[in-house]
Every structure is written in C-alpha cells, then in structure tokens.
Amino acid sequence: MVDPDQPDPRIGAALDHIRNRIAHAARESGRDPAGVTLVAVSKTHPASAVAAALAFGQIVFGENRVQEAQGKFPELRTARSGRGEPGPLLHLIGPLQTNKVADAVQLADVIETLDRPRLADAIEAAAQKAGRMPELLIQVNIGEEPQKAGIAPDQADHFIEACHRRFGDALTGLMAIPPADIDPAPFFRRLVAMADRHGLARRSMGMSGDFEQAIAMGATSVRIGTAIFGGRPAPASTASPDTMPAGSGSRLASLPD
Ligand SMILES: *Cc1c(COP(=O)(O)O)cnc(C)c1O
C-alpha cells in the first residue's frame, strides 16, 4: 500500500529509471545528458502526483489544458516558494485556444504550441497586458496530419521568421509530435533541420515510446508522461483524475527495463 502522506515511491523509482535512460541515450550519441530536459507530463494526474515528483527532484512539468494546470500549479508554487524551494516550472504542450491565452501567459513558463498567426497576436497582446512573456516554442505538424495541431511544414519557415521578428529571444525552439505507429526518425530529423535553419536551440520531441531515438537525433526536451506517472484514461474521456479507473497507476509497477 502507498502511504497517502508520503510521496508515491513508484513515481520516484520511475523518475530514476527515466533519468538513467535519458543519460544513457545522450552518452550513446556523444551528447551531454545535461543538454536534455525532462518535461514530466502530469496531465490527468492529480496535484499529489506532481507533488510526489517534486519531492523526488523533478522541477519541470507539462500539461495540455490551461484550466487543469490552474487547478494544480499555483497552489504547489505557493507552497514550494514558502519553503524556499524552486518550481514547479510549467510547459503548456496542448493545443491552445485564443480565449485561454490570457491565463496561459500568466501561468506558463513555456508555451510549446504556438502554431498560427492569430495565436501569436493573442500571445503578444496578453503578454503586454500581463507584463510577462513566457518562453515560446513553435509546434510544427511535422507529419502533415490533418487531425494534429501545428503549423504546416511548408508554411513553417515563414511563420518562424515572423515570430522571430515579433518575439525576439522569447522564441527559443520548435516542438513536434511525429505520426504514431511509423518510424519517427525522419520526422525528428526534419524538425532538427528546421530548427538549425533558424538558429533555434530548443527541440522538444520524443515521448514515452520514442524519447531515446529523439535524443539520438538531437532532442533537447523530451516530454514523458506514461512512463513516469502511469496510464491515463482514453483521451476522449472527460474523467477527472479522481475518477480514474482503479489500478491505472499500477502500470508503474510493470515498467519495462
Ligand atoms: C501526453 C503528451 C505527452 C506524453 O505522452 P506519453 O506517451 O504519456 O509520454 C507528450 N507530448 C504531448 C504533446 C502530449 O500531449
């Protein structure tokens, strides 16, 4: 049994395991493991899971819904800063609606999903109003999939240049989610080439199933959820973390080595 007053030790063990795999993948390709940021994707998981990961030294988190993040992060930040502890830092990694931008700009340290001119307009206006500009990554629909967010690759160069002029140093990189079920390598390569072309240092690519390959190809951020926090309900579900199916966290116990 997990003691509810103690941070879930399975999250600590999973984090250790992932950190080791990240370091190994980096060294295998002659890279410094410090050049790869682990973004722990806590979407659908309760604030207690984020608190547990924080207790095990994880500072950077990813969420895909502004409202869900608002329910977890401000309180954790207040508690941590009250104890003089850093973080949590928040990356927003989900499709962003313009009506959520004001909140996103207040809350996020990094917005990874800038993908259209209207969103750039909204971010610029909101940042001006808030007196605060998060770091920005442009999401590229690298596999040209109609159901996925991201700027189309054939419009990306133009959009990146426009955002660079507009946001200056706040624009730091590119993000992509390659198509599922096929070799992601060509897509990772394509994203890295695009980032190189524009002198953008951050490459956010790689998830639980493919992060080692992403690191080999030049990822500087990997976004990992399932392999740290366990399974999630199906994406279409509106279930809150409190109504997650029993045992959904138990997959942590059966992580592959
Ligand atoms: C959910 C999500 C992830 C994490 O996926 P896992 O397979 O659970 O590691 C990474 N990136 C984005 C954009 C996501 O929405």
Side-chain angles (χ1 to χ4, degrees):
M1 271 304 290
V2 174
D3 178 347
D5 295 328
Q6 293 295 322
D8 186 341
R10 294 171 303 175
I11 290 177
L15 274 170
D16 275 348
H17 182 71
I18 292 296
R19 287 177 185 134
N20 286 336
R21 283 174 62 188
I22 289 172
H24 183 77
R27 284 193 209 96
E28 285 275 289
S29 45
R31 301 184 53 198
D32 180 354
V36 182
T37 300
L38 170 58
V39 179
V41 178
S42 49
K43 66 186 182 198
T44 78
H45 296 283
S48 59
V50 178
L54 281 159
F56 293 109
Q58 179 64 29
I59 299 294
V60 184
F61 294 85
E63 288 279 342
N64 65 344
R65 287 168 189 268
V66 174
Q67 228 169 339
E68 185 185 336
Q70 274 176 320
K72 302 180 199 171
F73 283 78
E75 211 170 312
L76 288 165
R77 281 172 173 159
T78 304
R80 300 265 303 174
S81 71
R83 298 193 297 266
E85 293 166 346
L89 297 174
L90 176 64
H91 290 219
L92 286 175
I93 61 172
L96 187 55
Q97 293 168 271
T98 49
N99 64 0
K100 298 280 165 55
V101 164
D103 290 334
V105 161
Q106 295 277 5
L107 190 66
D109 297 288
V110 182
I111 294 174
E112 298 206 8
T113 51
L114 170 54
D115 66 352
R116 58 196 190 279
R118 281 200 51 209
L119 186 55
D121 294 344
I123 289 173
E124 187 174 41
Q128 224 147 48
K129 202 161 163 207
R132 169 178 209 278
M133 175 65 90
E135 195 178 320
L136 302 172
L137 274 61
I138 289 173
Q139 181 177 2
V140 182
N141 187 353
I142 203 73
E144 299 174 72
E145 297 172 281
Q147 80 282 15
K148 265 195 193 144
I151 186 98
D154 64 355
Q155 294 166 31
D157 284 316
H158 180 79
F159 184 60
I160 293 166
E161 278 166 28
C163 287
H164 222 155
R165 279 195 298 274
R166 184 171 200 168
F167 296 112
D169 291 343
L171 178 68
T172 59
L174 303 182
M175 178 273 220
I177 310 167
D181 304 323
I182 56 172
D183 180 12
F187 302 100
F188 290 152
R189 203 173 290 124
R190 196 171 180 189
L191 191 78
V192 167
M194 201 177 274
D196 281 344
R197 230 172 16 247
H198 293 278
L200 293 170
R202 271 224 204 224
R203 298 97 202 262
S204 173
M205 55 188 207
M207 317 196 337
S208 290
D210 58 14
F211 70 90
E212 281 144 323
Q213 210 174 349
I215 290 168
M217 314 214 60
T220 65
S221 291
V222 291
R223 309 177 307 266
I224 300 180
T226 311
I228 296 170
F229 296 109
R232 292 182 295 267
S237 163
T238 54
S240 76
D242 294 330
T243 58
M244 275 177 69
S248 59
S250 67
R251 268 170 254 180
L252 281 172
S254 57
L255 280 176
D257 290 316

